[in-house]
Amino acid sequence: MAKNNQTKVKKLPPCRSACPAHVNVQGYVSLIQRGKFREAVEIIRKDMPFPAICGRVCFSPCEDACARTNVDQAVSIRALKRLVADIEREQGRVKPEPIPKKYSEKVAIIGAGPAGLTAAYELAKLGYPVTVFERMAEPGGMMRYCIPNFRLEKFVVANEIAYIKDLGVEIKTGVEFGKDITLESLRKDGYKAIFLAIGTQKGMKLNVPGEELEGVVNAVDFLRAISVGEPINVGERVAVIGGGNTAIDAARTAKKLGAKEVMILYRRSREEMPALPHEVAEAEKDGVKFYFLVAPKQIIGENGKVKAVECLRMRLGEPDESGRRKPIPISFSEHQYEVDMVIPALGQVLEASCLPPELLDKESRAPAVKVDLATLETTVPGVFAGGDMTTGPASIIEAVGAGKKSAVSIHLYLHGQDISDREERIEETTWVKNWGYIKKKERRYEPPLEKPHLSFEEARVYLEKIKREAVFEAFRCLGCGPCSQCLAELDLCEGDKAVVDENLCVGCNVCAVVCPFGAIRKNEKEIAQVNEELCKGCGICAARCPEQAISMKKFSNERILSLALQTQEVKTS
Amino acid sequence: MEIPENVNIVRVMCIGRLDPTIVLDVLAKGADGVLMVGCKPPDCHYVEGNLQAERAAKMLKKLVEVVGLEPERIKLQWYTPLEDKSFSNNLKAFENAISKLEASPIKGELSQSSILLNILAAKNAASDFRLRVLLGREKELTESVNVYGEKIPQEEFDFLMDKIVREEFLRHKIHLLTQTKPLSVKGLAKKLGIKPADVLKQIVNMRRKNMITIDRFEETTPLYKALEVK
């Protein structure tokens, strides 16, 4: 197999290149501009299977990268995504046709979380027979079990997974890897490639005395118990230890379940908190109290039950390897918080006991799987691993990105091709050169985070109202990138591009003046040259070229004229 | 959305994409009027395509006036994608306004070849270098400075545009008239209904631009004949 050494450069708008799954943001936003909400969902589905889930809980790196932040605020990308996904669900999703199996090689995926399901989705779209094995009773992984219902409704997760199932992916639940199935048994059953995406299921321990007391429940176990409906005693006064999103989720859940006082104890300050700012704000609105720069020293018990948590004050030292300032305990600063429940939420680690030892990285301190991060290949041929289990606890969209990456690797592997032969360098691009010219338009559409539970009728009225707002919000998009291939006006643009007739061009530069995207420039021969990456096919240059040297590949002047005349004759006759 | 029966809609990527020649072509084929519909500024998917269209519409109105048609036949209408109602209302309003005017003089038995010739001359003027370059550079000339560091006030630009529209129209009309039969300055002046001196002025310029040449002399009077423009 000849190796293509040339790295392909792909120019993408900032939002799309910032997204780990490279979702075509510009494409669906421009579809929303035209009021084509259903088509927008389809565009999202081309890149990932979870529009409604990411529309609710994604940490939206796209918005942080949005070029509008140079002028005012980012476009409400996440909220727009949520809206179109909700509209689709409300109007009734069209059941997709199962994709015909083009290949005979069976693929097994372990873990029905975001990474595993995305890999299954991508492979099914390529035409592979895919089976997903899941330990729990329901697929969805952390999305199903650890994100509380008030942030991500269970039926939303179920709906998105139903779509993947409709494509012909088989999901077997209640099958535990390492117990019911192993790598060998899967190979024996004819699976040619295996993708491990078991995530990080084990909550990290506090490692302080008193952790075995009754009333100490790890955040992951706590949230999982709540979502499967296990009876669990929520204390009156709850201390959550940690500053991540899981800590916030656990604290808000405890508060909603009737705890009188919920406090979050975090050893650094507010700035260093890994939780998303709007989640923190929501938690504060719910009445969760925050204590910063405190770390537990021990948990004090009485009759085997939690009575209080003793903490030390901290100060911040020099930044450590994670870039955050390291907390240093202050001596003799012990103090106690009276609580009857402690929820440690210090992050999760890989549950390595189910994995065959040859996969594990022996040099790493924490249990980890040795994996090539570019291809997600493990040391065992035909076995791939990705998602949280290789990156440590991260986000849904990063897991989706890993799932997509592994699907490409598996596809190449099954065809005996060089897995590393798919280097694609992504470059950020925007046509805007001078931000001063961009008119300010305030962000007007905020995510309806507070209103997930609406009756059907209420939801309909609410959606009608915000649809209008959404179109205005979508118009704030600058459309940074080259043609987004949204195919919004397929009958209209057909991916049109300008072409210059070099014999006619006199180098007057009018095209360069009128082109909105700087896609046309004079070259060294003083002849206009079209940069097809940037050309969006609007045709303004063709409408202005003094020598009529520029024409459009698809929609020439002649074609527009004939369209105008043709219909006229039909009408008058 | 209700669309009146005698209206036909042609979609373009951006109203700025509409070449002025297309509008004149459509008029030459007998349309009663052309409504250009664009996104309301400052919204434009193509940044300023709608403002480009605004300039083109301004020039088109001037050309149509010179041709001898009512400038109301050309209209530019802003519209936002959320106002279905106002779109069909505006369409109806335009249709009403047009139907109050006489039917296009080009259509049917009333066909006036002089108006058709005028429209063709206007179309040729709109496809020629001078008007197009002026149109394309209007924003540059009036809003930022040109290579000499001068900034042209909008009023001055409009005055200039008006003058050039008339000149270009005249030149292309002369060009069309002399295509079939060589004509003298006096003969042209009579046909155009203007002073011979004004005709001569344009002919001098046209000879320089290789649009026209002396075909032969009738006694001492030169007869001019149009040359093929590339």
Side-chain angles (χ1 to χ4, degrees):
Chain A
M1 196 58 55
K3 186 167 169 131
N4 181 8
N5 279 324
Q6 261 184 333
T7 318
K8 280 170 243 155
V9 178
K10 205 170 169 188
K11 286 195 178 173
L12 295 179
C15 45
R16 199 175 176 185
S17 59
C19 177
H22 302 306
V23 177
N24 189 351
V25 176
Q26 190 184 320
Y28 68 78
V29 172
S30 67
L31 281 164
I32 295 169
Q33 288 176 354
R34 290 163 177 80
K36 299 193 172 188
F37 301 114
R38 302 292 295 255
E39 290 85 343
V41 186
E42 289 308 315
I43 280 272
I44 302 171
R45 287 228 172 87
K46 277 189 182 165
D47 290 307
M48 62 118 165
F50 307 122
I53 295 172
C54 281
R56 285 172 169 73
V57 293
C58 188
F59 75 110
S60 53
C62 47
E63 289 187 21
D64 299 336
C66 179
R68 261 233 171 248
T69 49
N70 291 321
V71 186
D72 36 47
Q73 308 96 10
V75 177
S76 306
I77 299 170
R78 182 184 50 226
L80 289 174
K81 177 151 59 196
R82 177 185 172 156
L83 175 78
V84 291
D86 282 356
I87 288 172
E88 191 206 46
R89 204 188 54 250
E90 186 216 339
Q91 293 178 347
R93 173 162 59 76
V94 181
K95 201 174 166 184
E97 288 291 311
I99 292 166
K101 305 274 179 285
K102 228 167 75 189
Y103 304 105
S104 58
E105 294 94 339
K106 287 204 289 178
V107 182
I109 289 163
I110 318 295
L117 288 173
T118 307
Y121 174 75
E122 293 290 326
L123 287 165
K125 281 201 297 183
L126 288 171
Y128 286 97
V130 187
T131 313
V132 184
F133 297 96
E134 167 62 42
R135 181 176 60 140
M136 305 293 278
E138 295 276 338
M142 287 287 182
M143 306 189 291
R144 171 72 179 69
Y145 286 105
C146 280
I147 301 180
N149 207 32
F150 55 85
R151 267 182 74 200
L152 178 60
E153 303 92 316
K154 302 283 175 267
F155 66 84
V156 171
V157 181
N159 186 48
E160 310 254 86
I161 293 172
Y163 185 89
I164 299 173
K165 277 188 184 161
D166 289 346
L167 293 180
V169 172
E170 196 186 352
I171 302 178
K172 285 186 178 165
T173 54
V175 184
E176 195 169 341
F177 184 70
K179 213 164 97 191
D180 305 322
I181 47 169
T182 58
L183 289 184
E184 288 72 42
S185 79
L186 286 172
R187 287 220 184 88
K188 218 177 279 168
D189 289 345
Y191 291 100
K192 294 276 181 283
I194 296 155
F195 178 52
L196 295 168
I198 59 170
T200 50
Q201 303 296 334
K202 206 159 72 180
M204 276 210 305
K205 288 206 158 164
L206 274 172
N207 285 329
V208 296
E211 216 173 342
E212 68 296 333
L213 289 166
E214 194 190 328
V216 181
V217 186
N218 202 287
V220 190
D221 301 330
F222 174 69
L223 290 170
R224 204 176 285 141
I226 302 287
S227 43
V228 296
E230 268 176 35
I232 191 160
N233 282 331
V234 178
E236 294 227 319
R237 293 167 56 81
V238 180
V240 179
I241 295 157
N245 282 318
T246 314
I248 306 279
D249 282 348
R252 288 180 72 191
T253 306
K255 187 82 194 170
K256 281 177 204 280
L257 286 175
K260 286 221 177 75
E261 197 177 339
V262 178
M263 58 186 93
I264 286 181
L265 308 178
Y266 181 51
R267 59 193 184 133
R268 293 187 173 98
S269 68
R270 186 181 284 263
E271 284 73 52
E272 285 85 17
M273 266 178 107
L276 298 178
H278 74 257
E279 294 294 333
V280 178
E282 291 292 319
E284 278 183 326
K285 231 185 266 174
D286 285 349
V288 174
K289 282 183 185 158
F290 286 82
Y291 295 98
F292 295 105
L293 294 165
V294 285
K297 193 186 171 202
Q298 62 166 321
I299 299 167
I300 299 163
E302 201 180 66
N303 304 329
K305 284 186 181 171
V306 173
K307 183 170 167 273
V309 52
E310 189 178 77
C311 293
L312 275 173
R313 289 227 171 274
M314 303 295 225
R315 63 185 172 82
L316 291 177
E318 292 300 308
D320 62 4
E321 65 269 20
S322 74
R324 294 179 302 174
R325 294 175 67 189
K326 202 180 157 81
I328 300 164
I330 301 168
S331 320
F332 308 112
S333 63
E334 284 89 349
H335 55 293
Q336 290 184 0
Y337 298 96
E338 294 256 329
V339 291
D340 48 15
M341 189 181 193
V342 176
I343 303 179
L346 303 175
Q348 295 102 256
V349 284
L350 175 67
E351 224 174 314
S353 55
C354 66
L355 295 170
E358 66 262 32
L359 283 175
L360 296 179
D361 186 356
K362 277 154 202 95
E363 283 147 37
S364 136
R365 201 153 40 103
V369 170
K370 210 170 180 182
V371 67
D372 176 355
L373 282 178
T375 61
L376 299 179
E377 216 181 356
T378 62
T379 44
V380 180
V383 178
F384 299 81
D388 279 3
M389 71 180 285
T390 58
T391 58
S395 62
I396 292 177
I397 195 70
E398 281 159 284
V400 169
K404 283 179 80 175
K405 205 190 260 181
S406 73
V408 178
S409 290
I410 290 170
H411 178 57
L412 292 174
Y413 168 78
L414 290 176
H415 285 80
Q417 288 176 17
D418 188 354
I419 296 180
S420 56
D421 184 21
R422 47 109 181 256
E423 273 307 298
E424 207 175 42
R425 196 155 53 85
I426 284 173
E427 246 175 45
E428 205 179 293
T429 174
T430 172
W431 57 266
V432 185
K433 300 283 176 297
N434 190 339
W435 296 104
Y437 286 132
I438 307 294
K439 288 181 188 75
K440 276 192 186 177
K441 271 193 245 173
E442 291 298 307
R443 177 161 163 150
R444 51 197 290 162
Y445 176 57
E446 280 301 325
L449 283 174
E450 280 298 285
K451 296 191 182 173
H453 296 297
L454 292 172
S455 75
F456 206 74
E457 183 55 28
E458 277 173 332
R460 203 188 54 74
V461 174
Y462 184 60
L463 281 179
E464 281 308 316
K465 204 184 95 197
I466 59 176
K467 261 183 200 170
R468 211 185 136 80
E469 285 284 296
V471 172
F472 278 116
E473 178 64 26
F475 265 107
R476 291 181 63 236
C477 175
L478 298 170
C480 297
C483 173
S484 61
Q485 299 293 323
C486 67
L487 308 182
E489 310 276 336
L490 191 60
D491 46 336
L492 187 60
C493 93
E494 297 180 7
D496 209 356
K497 300 276 181 243
V499 257
V500 180
D501 185 338
E502 296 197 358
N503 298 324
L504 290 178
C505 180
V506 293
C508 66
N509 216 27
V510 166
C511 47
V513 173
V514 297
C515 179
F517 308 110
I520 191 161
R521 285 268 178 278
K522 278 200 285 185
N523 62 10
E524 64 288 346
K525 284 188 284 182
E526 292 286 301
I527 282 170
Q529 204 171 20
V530 181
N531 179 346
E532 293 217 349
E533 285 272 351
L534 292 175
C535 178
K536 295 188 185 177
C538 65
I540 296 176
C541 53
R544 288 289 175 277
C545 176
E547 292 291 342
Q548 294 179 315
I550 304 175
S551 59
M552 304 308 291
K553 273 185 194 165
K554 305 266 171 68
F555 279 87
S556 57
N557 277 358
E558 292 75 37
R559 182 153 166 209
I560 293 177
L561 183 63
S562 74
L563 280 175
L565 297 176
Q566 194 182 27
T567 39
Q568 191 172 348
E569 273 156 25
V570 171
K571 290 245 166 120
T572 44
S573 63
Chain B
M1 188 161 66
E2 255 180 81
I3 298 165
E5 250 196 17
N6 48 356
V7 171
N8 64 68
I9 293 181
V10 182
R11 296 202 300 173
V12 285
M13 291 286 281
C14 169
I15 194 61
R17 193 264 172 269
L18 195 62
D19 196 314
T21 55
I22 297 177
V23 177
L24 292 163
D25 248 330
V26 171
L27 287 179
K29 291 274 163 39
D32 285 331
V34 178
L35 179 67
M36 298 159 70
V37 184
C39 303
K40 193 173 179 181
D43 285 330
C44 178
H45 192 63
Y46 300 102
V47 191
E48 284 194 343
N50 46 12
L51 301 183
Q52 288 285 358
E54 197 173 22
R55 296 181 190 113
K58 208 165 65 183
M59 188 195 85
L60 275 169
K61 274 177 181 279
K62 275 177 191 158
L63 266 175
V64 168
E65 212 176 342
V66 174
V67 160
L69 287 172
E70 301 84 348
E72 296 85 58
R73 289 187 193 271
I74 308 284
K75 193 179 174 194
L76 180 63
Q77 181 79 52
W78 297 140
Y79 163 66
T80 63
L82 292 160
E83 301 163 28
D84 257 12
K85 223 172 214 168
S86 79
F87 178 72
S88 57
N89 284 347
N90 286 329
L91 206 58
K92 268 179 225 149
F94 180 68
E95 202 220 345
N96 280 339
I98 293 296
S99 56
K100 280 196 191 108
L101 303 172
E102 278 175 40
S104 169
I106 288 160
K107 252 192 296 197
E109 292 160 18
L110 297 164
S111 176
Q112 293 173 27
S113 60
S114 69
I115 289 280
L116 181 60
L117 187 83
N118 281 356
I119 296 180
L120 289 179
K123 190 205 137 192
N124 288 349
S127 22
D128 203 0
F129 190 84
R130 205 166 161 214
L131 273 182
R132 291 175 79 90
V133 92
L134 203 62
L135 190 58
R137 288 196 183 270
E138 176 168 349
K139 179 187 156 75
E140 206 187 6
L141 293 171
T142 55
E143 284 176 21
S144 45
V145 293
N146 66 8
V147 283
Y148 305 107
E150 303 161 331
K151 189 170 154 179
I152 302 173
Q154 187 68 49
E155 300 78 50
E156 197 181 324
F157 181 89
D158 288 344
F159 178 77
L160 206 68
M161 184 60 129
D162 203 55
K163 186 174 150 242
I164 293 174
V165 162
R166 278 165 208 286
E167 270 182 17
E168 282 294 308
F169 171 73
L170 203 54
R171 283 180 200 175
H172 282 276
K173 195 163 176 192
I174 294 171
H175 189 250
L176 283 176
L177 284 172
T178 52
Q179 252 173 7
T180 42
K181 188 173 101 188
L183 287 167
S184 66
V185 170
K186 265 191 184 159
L188 276 169
K190 208 173 157 193
K191 276 203 172 201
L192 294 164
I194 53 170
K195 279 187 244 160
D198 290 338
V199 176
L200 188 62
K201 199 170 136 195
Q202 297 312 328
I203 286 198
V204 170
N205 276 314
M206 285 168 77
R207 282 187 71 183
R208 208 164 53 197
K209 289 181 77 183
N210 250 347
M211 283 172 77
I212 205 166
T213 187
I214 297 172
D215 186 51
R216 62 197 149 89
F217 287 90
E218 227 171 49
E219 291 166 20
T220 52
T221 319
L223 293 187
Y224 294 92
K225 187 166 169 45
L227 282 173
E228 193 76 28
V229 186
K230 50 160 183 153

